[in-house]
Amino acid sequence: LKTDKWELFVNRELDTTLDKSLWVSEENKSNLTNPIPVVRGKSFYLWEPSNEDYDEWAELEKLQKHLQNKRLSKTSLFNSLPKNLLEDINTLPLLNPRIGFRLITNKTDTRTCIVSILPGKRVLLNSIQYIFFKKGGKVAEGFILGVMSSFIFDWQLRQVIETNFNKFIFNNLTVPDVSDEIYEEISKISLTLSFKNKFLQPWLNDYKQFIYKDKLDSSTDYDFKCRLEALVAKGYGLSEDEIEYIFLNFHPTSDYKNILNDVINHYRNL
């Protein structure tokens, strides 16, 4: 998938069955020299990159070698990247934050698209797919995260999904083509909301020029989330009536009237 602003593909790290030998249970963690968590879908939620719910662990150096060999293989999705980038182990997705989303989901859940920017040095099982950006960098990362975290993107997904949010469904969903101003604001809001989490702090310096550094406390969360919804709605070209329809019909047992009113207020000021 690509536009003039970004280019990306969806990938996975470990297969639950084929790569089983690469991790151990909690009881055997002490046998590892440099253990890192093995992450399943239950380990994160929207705007919550990590909840420390880990019971499996893997050896970091062993994983680096395994995933680097896969990245350099002839069938790798990374093949079109510059050789010097591919050979630099520090660019391995495993070692860096990346957007991940749950594979197993349901259109009847309170939210269907469960996505977050996940900390580096945590290996993902195939119940989580991650997004690699060939172009666009951290601004593109923030923009896509913001769009995918919105009710509007989630509503779109609910129209086509049954149980698996796989890369084939992802590749057929639409992302709004927005102005540079909206693109950058969506990105800054979503990255700011994400980097309030303590597990992403080791990478804060890499992202600090792409976030609102003076708004990393929780007091701005609700307002940011409402404005994000309004910006995404504007990007998709929705009318106020269409925004209202989505929020009022989003889920049969959840009431989003309060957030709807605040989203509309932001929308009117764009």
Side-chain angles (χ1 to χ4, degrees):
L1 294 178
K2 63 181 179 179
T3 68
D4 60 331
K5 294 184 178 73
W6 48 265
E7 183 175 358
L8 60 82
F9 60 79
V10 174
N11 203 10
R12 67 179 188 173
E13 283 183 336
L14 296 187
D15 184 276
T16 307
T17 302
L18 299 177
D19 296 318
K20 182 85 174 158
S21 62
L22 291 172
W23 67 86
V24 298
S25 61
E26 179 74 30
E27 307 88 78
N28 296 308
K29 178 184 175 184
S30 59
N31 296 329
L32 304 178
T33 304
N34 192 1
I36 64 169
V38 176
V39 181
R40 296 178 183 268
K42 66 180 181 179
S43 300
F44 68 95
Y45 196 69
L46 290 163
W47 310 119
E48 297 175 12
S50 178
N51 61 15
E52 296 187 284
D53 189 7
Y54 308 125
D55 50 25
E56 294 160 310
W57 300 83
E59 186 69 69
L60 175 58
E61 287 71 21
K62 186 176 181 180
L63 283 175
Q64 284 184 186
K65 183 177 180 181
H66 174 76
L67 293 173
Q68 179 67 344
N69 286 339
K70 284 179 66 175
R71 185 165 73 149
L72 295 174
S73 71
K74 292 181 180 180
T75 58
S76 169
L77 291 171
F78 295 93
N79 270 339
S80 60
L81 297 178
K83 185 178 180 182
N84 63 323
L85 186 148
L86 287 177
E87 293 179 347
D88 181 0
I89 193 67
N90 293 313
T91 67
L92 192 67
L94 169 72
L95 303 178
N96 299 283
R98 63 274 200 221
I99 296 175
F101 59 93
R102 290 186 192 175
L103 172 69
I104 308 299
T105 187
N106 195 299
K107 62 184 177 183
T108 61
D109 292 342
T110 306
R111 293 298 294 265
T112 300
C113 181
I114 308 301
V115 61
S116 189
I117 182 167
L118 306 178
K121 295 185 179 179
R122 285 158 171 74
V123 66
L124 314 178
L125 294 186
N126 58 298
S127 56
I128 305 169
Q129 296 167 102
Y130 74 90
I131 300 173
F132 183 84
F133 288 84
K134 297 174 70 175
K135 185 177 76 172
K138 292 176 174 56
V139 178
E141 193 175 329
F143 171 72
I144 294 297
L145 175 63
V147 171
M148 291 182 69
S149 300
S150 70
F151 280 90
I152 295 163
F153 183 89
D154 202 311
W155 173 267
Q156 178 189 188
L157 177 60
R158 284 167 184 257
Q159 311 313 304
V160 297
I161 198 168
E162 291 300 330
T163 56
N164 284 348
F165 183 16
N166 57 42
K167 66 180 181 180
F168 304 107
I169 290 177
F170 178 89
N171 289 342
N172 282 287
L173 297 174
T174 62
V175 173
D177 183 14
V178 300
S179 67
D180 290 346
E181 182 180 1
I182 289 179
Y183 179 75
E184 291 173 9
E185 188 174 1
I186 287 174
S187 179
K188 289 189 79 170
I189 287 175
S190 68
L191 290 178
T192 303
L193 286 168
S194 298
F195 274 84
K196 297 180 182 191
N197 186 280
K198 65 180 181 179
F199 296 105
L200 288 172
Q201 293 308 297
W203 294 274
L204 181 58
N205 281 340
D206 297 335
Y207 284 81
K208 63 183 179 181
Q209 71 185 90
F210 306 105
I211 65 176
Y212 295 107
K213 295 187 289 293
D214 58 337
K215 296 182 178 180
L216 285 171
D217 61 276
S218 60
S219 64
T220 58
D221 284 8
Y222 178 76
D223 194 57
F224 265 164
K225 289 174 183 177
C226 292
R227 185 161 182 84
L228 178 66
E229 296 292 341
L231 289 164
V232 173
K234 187 77 171 179
Y236 275 113
L238 300 184
S239 65
E240 287 188 22
D241 287 344
E242 288 169 328
I243 298 170
E244 181 175 319
Y245 182 86
I246 288 173
F247 276 83
L248 294 182
N249 294 279
F250 191 81
H251 193 269
T253 62
S254 299
D255 186 353
Y256 297 109
K257 289 179 183 176
N258 289 336
I259 188 174
L260 169 62
N261 292 332
D262 292 319
V263 169
I264 292 295
N265 287 335
H266 275 286
Y267 181 84
R268 290 172 178 169
N269 291 319
L270 291 176

